[in-house]
Amino acid sequence: IVMTIMRRKNMISVKELRIGNIVKDKDGNIWRIGCITGMHKDKGSLILERRIDNGTIKWYTSECDVYPISLNERILDWIGFNDYDNHDYRNKGDITITKDYVLSITRLWGNTVVKMDIKGFHHLQNIAYDLYETSLDLNIFDDDYPGDTSLV
């Protein structure tokens, strides 16, 4: 029972995901959400995609098999957040993230309009898409992708 509770606590609900979100499996492999379906009775279903050698593999699974990718400095570097060595924050446009991963959006003549803790990369992807219609991607299908273990 304890294992089941722990697993459920760490997995991501399909309701939090959208096509293009980046997640990981229990082994730490990074996948992109390719499709969200309702094939399972009580749970959402996913089709995950990842690059393998010169091709793409697709995996049909339930939400029980996907986990969030925690934000870290390497991911923020990879997606283009500025690094201010003398300050405790990084930014990209008007999105600011502190070293404790508190996100704030500053708009309207410098007023902070949103402030929240953010831990998962998929949350940051969703916020960027909702506010700016822009996709934050780790480009896992690009030739210069450094590999899963270098970012997670």
Side-chain angles (χ1 to χ4, degrees), residues 93-111:
D94 51 2
I95 299 175
T96 301
I97 297 179
T98 68
K99 288 188 183 211
D100 296 329
Y101 302 108
V102 174
L103 175 134
S104 59
I105 308 290
T106 305
R107 285 185 152 175
L108 306 172
W109 303 283
N111 294 323

Side-chain angles (χ1 to χ4, degrees), residues 111-133:
N111 294 323
T112 300
V113 292
V114 174
K115 190 169 187 175
M116 62 190 290
D117 287 338
I118 187 165
K119 301 297 182 194
F121 180 58
H122 70 285
H123 292 135
L124 182 58
Q125 286 182 296
N126 292 345
I127 289 168
Y129 187 81
D130 289 343
L131 293 177
Y132 305 105
E133 294 182 358

Side-chain angles (χ1 to χ4, degrees), residues 58-118:
K58 295 185 186 265
W59 175 36
Y60 175 77
T61 187
S62 74
E63 65 186 8
C64 297
D65 295 319
V66 295
Y67 300 88
I69 296 173
S70 298
L71 281 180
N72 61 52
E73 298 304 309
R74 292 174 304 230
I75 288 175
L76 293 176
D77 285 340
W78 187 256
I79 60 175
F81 273 78
N82 294 332
D83 186 13
Y84 292 105
D85 294 331
N86 297 328
H87 303 285
D88 287 339
Y89 65 87
R90 301 171 65 129
N91 75 349
K92 182 174 185 172
D94 51 2
I95 299 175
T96 301
I97 297 179
T98 68
K99 288 188 183 211
D100 296 329
Y101 302 108
V102 174
L103 175 134
S104 59
I105 308 290
T106 305
R107 285 185 152 175
L108 306 172
W109 303 283
N111 294 323
T112 300
V113 292
V114 174
K115 190 169 187 175
M116 62 190 290
D117 287 338
I118 187 165

Side-chain angles (χ1 to χ4, degrees), residues 14 35-40 43-47 60-63:
V14 168
C35 184
I36 300 171
T37 68
M39 300 286 289
H40 288 289
K43 302 178 207 158
S45 307
L46 304 166
I47 297 177
Y60 175 77
T61 187
S62 74
E63 65 186 8

